[in-house]
Amino acid sequence: RKMRSFFLLRSITICTMLVTTRALVSLSSASRLAIRPFAVQATSRLNAGSRRKTESTTPTTLEWENYDYSESPKWDARFDDTRHVVASNQEDLDDIIEQESEEDRRVAERLEKYQNALQSLTPELVADATRVLTPYVQPERVIRMDDVLAQRTKHCRFLFENPANPSNVWACLRTIDSFGIQHVDLVISSGKYTGKAALAQKRGMRTAMGSAQWLTLRNHVSTDGAVKKLKESGYKIYASDLNPNSKDIRDIDWEADDKPICIVMGNENIGISEEMRELADETFTLPMCGFAESFNLSVATAITLAHLSACSTDATKGPLRPGDLSEHELNCLRLKGILNSIAQKRTGKALLKRANIELPPELGWL
């Protein structure tokens, strides 16, 4: 009887211990399950906070003199905040392509009218407007503008034929500005941009050109039209091209006939068009000795400019001839720079109106 009581008591004790152990295990599991969602939620909040911080530090405006490159240059919202072209079928896409073609033509016309209006200002009007507005710009800013404009050249200009990436074009424009070149042309053949991504990037191209306020820019809707205008103005066309007949850039005599020159850079993926290849007076290549077949567009532009600069020994010889702008063009660009340096455009307009000075309405576009 005592033995039965002992074994019964032992069994009860063991059962109690098992029940307690299982209860503790269940409680521990429940605790882990309760904690896990909180941990995931906390991590999500941290990630969201990190994303917000990144977005808050991402540049939102195009600054010419102090430019921060985007972490995603190909889809930089500063060039176009409508990143995606929405088309549910081919018919909708065709309509968008046609609308974009019309916009390309309108932008090219407006830009041409702007440049013509600026150059058509009389010397007296330019002098009077400059006199009125200069006191409202920091003296250091005016001195800086005068120093930069005094080194500008029109003997060499660049043309970009149907580029694909607005960030590349923007980088090229800033590099061109740094070497003192004043005139830049851009060919946008609307038929070359047919996909949704290409259309979105082409919109960004217009923004890039419109924001480069220190350069004299012209848009063209066709390669043939651009080359025709340039040759009529006396320019000799040199196109960067990988074809076997191209010369090494180091072997080109830039002063062969003492004509102003236009350097053509093609699309990042396919280079210049066959049409440009036939129209160019000469094609050239940049020397390479690595496995890569070509340079990035902005890198190729910088290398070409560095070579041109090295070949320009003084202001009267070589492809770059700083200080060769006419006095009137120089004064017009100075007025343009002063207008762009006033914080609010309407302020400049109001100041001129008070002095009974009225500029052409085309100059209010940029």
Side-chain angles (χ1 to χ4, degrees), residues 125-151:
L125 180 60
V126 172
D128 290 342
T130 301
R131 174 180 50 79
V132 169
L133 296 175
T134 299
Y136 297 91
V137 180
Q138 292 291 333
E140 297 82 3
R141 182 72 166 174
V142 176
I143 293 172
R144 173 66 175 160
M145 280 191 293
D146 289 343
D147 289 343
V148 169
L149 291 176
Q151 301 176 68

Side-chain angles (χ1 to χ4, degrees), residues 234-253:
Y235 282 87
K236 190 171 182 179
I237 310 299
Y238 292 89
S240 175
D241 188 27
L242 293 175
N243 82 74
N245 298 320
S246 294
K247 284 186 179 180
D248 187 312
I249 193 172
R250 297 170 293 186
D251 297 331
I252 292 179
D253 182 4

Side-chain angles (χ1 to χ4, degrees), residues 15-29:
C15 290
T16 302
M17 291 176 64
L18 287 173
V19 171
T20 303
T21 302
R22 288 178 179 176
L24 290 172
V25 171
S26 298
L27 180 61
S28 177
S29 298

